[in-house]
Amino acid sequence: MLKIGSYSFKSRLLLGTGKYPDFDIQKQAVDVSDTDILTFAVRRMNIFEASQPNFLEKLDLERYTLLPNTAGAKTAEEAVRIAKLAKASGLCDMIKVEVIGCWKTLLPDPVETLKATEELLKEGFTVLPYTSDDVVLARKLEELGSHAIMPGASPIGSGQGIINELNLSFIIDQANVPVIVDAGIGSPADATKAMELGADGVLLNTAVSDAKDPVKMAHAMKLAIEAGRLGYEAGRIEKKSYASASSPTEGMSVN
Ligand SMILES: CC(=O)[C@@H](O)[C@H](O)COP(=O)(O)O
């Protein structure tokens, strides 16, 4: 079970809802992924305008917990405003804080992320900040009271996979709240790697939405995350410098 604040989830895959070729493919991919949590940018929702197209319209929203995110925010103030708008429109009190500090790399602004997180925690939100793989910043976000930490594997939409495995494992080792690896996952192997490192979950979008076959890739990601988690729980073997026979001959009379 993945526990975030007062919420519990069966699946450890958090899926984004944007960029799919069409809404039918989006629905099929979401269904087959078996995710419990769907994230979406609040600014893309026409929350107060029912006549506008709704990009979640094909999805059976009863089945999922919706995790609104503050994508598009450049400052803490904007992120807080977006989060409040989401809550006021009846969405759950969970919020993924995303404050972008650089539009070329889409890397988060650490100072504004801290400020927004602090403010939203004071307001009673369940807060999941998206952060870089900075170990100290991750610790500070946890100390503020964040309910989960979401370090990026690599820049959003880059599909580069895990750039700094060491930092990610430091973040995972020091954390006492769930660590969800968010952004930059390119393939099922990347997702498995994150889970094998001990991440509690993976949030991804582009690797599925932009795949040649998004539905098949959503299925692959589900299996990859399950496999990575199982492998982590099972405990991998130590790496040795030298060989060690797989069929030991010790105690056997062999020539
Ligand atoms: C959907 C969402 O929240 C993105 O901002 C997220 O970070 C996913 O990134 P990828 O598209 O790289 O998986």
Side-chain angles (χ1 to χ4, degrees):
M1 277 296 207
L2 170 62
K3 292 197 164 109
I4 302 174
S6 58
Y7 298 86
S8 293
F9 305 101
K10 196 169 44 58
S11 170
R12 292 176 183 274
L13 167 60
L14 290 75
L15 196 60
T17 50
K19 301 200 288 193
Y20 289 82
D22 61 51
F23 292 153
D24 286 319
I25 292 179
Q26 178 204 51
K27 178 182 169 23
Q28 288 174 53
V30 168
D31 283 350
V32 83
S33 77
D34 239 354
T35 185
D36 293 325
I37 309 178
L38 292 175
T39 188
F40 65 95
V42 175
R43 72 184 169 144
R44 291 188 63 221
M45 290 279 290
N46 297 298
I47 292 179
F48 298 112
E49 189 45 84
S51 62
Q52 293 296 310
N54 172 3
F55 70 98
L56 301 177
E57 68 189 9
K58 290 264 175 174
L59 304 175
D60 175 9
L61 296 182
E62 298 293 307
R63 277 181 62 184
Y64 308 102
T65 296
L66 293 180
L67 172 62
N69 67 60
T70 65
K74 296 179 288 305
T75 62
E77 199 186 332
E78 282 173 18
V80 169
R81 194 173 338 116
I82 292 170
K84 286 183 176 170
L85 192 68
K87 200 169 176 182
S89 70
L91 293 167
C92 83
D93 70 343
M94 273 209 299
I95 188 82
K96 172 182 155 181
V97 171
E98 186 173 317
V99 186
I100 298 301
C102 165
W103 293 96
K104 193 163 179 189
T105 59
L106 294 183
L107 288 171
D109 182 321
V111 177
E112 297 299 309
T113 300
L114 273 172
K115 274 200 230 160
T117 299
E118 189 169 22
E119 180 63 28
L120 289 167
L121 285 165
K122 272 193 214 140
E123 297 273 346
F125 282 83
T126 299
V127 185
L128 295 76
Y130 160 63
T131 168
S132 63
D133 57 16
D134 184 302
V135 182
V136 178
L137 181 61
R139 197 190 63 228
K140 290 192 175 192
L141 287 164
E142 179 175 345
E143 283 168 357
L144 283 179
S146 297
H147 297 85
I149 308 293
M150 306 183 88
S154 53
I156 296 174
S158 71
Q160 291 196 45
I162 299 170
I163 300 268
N164 194 334
E165 195 179 310
L166 189 64
N167 272 19
L168 218 46
S169 35
F170 286 155
I171 291 173
I172 291 166
D173 288 351
Q174 77 181 4
N176 296 299
V177 293
V179 175
I180 317 277
V181 174
D182 173 9
I185 295 293
S187 72
D190 299 335
T192 302
K193 182 78 213 172
M195 296 306 292
E196 281 192 66
L197 288 175
D200 298 277
V202 171
L203 189 154
L204 56 90
N205 191 144
T206 310
V208 168
S209 64
D210 288 15
K212 197 163 76 188
D213 185 336
V215 181
K216 219 173 238 182
M217 186 57 84
H219 191 197
M221 289 297 185
K222 164 190 152 66
L223 298 175
I225 287 167
E226 288 173 358
R229 181 66 190 183
L230 272 178
Y232 170 73
E233 287 174 358
R236 64 151 293 139
I237 59 166
E238 294 284 321
K239 290 186 185 177
K240 298 188 181 102
S241 302
Y242 290 97
S244 140
S246 304
S247 309
T249 51
E250 216 173 285
M252 291 174 73
S253 54
V254 285
N255 295 317

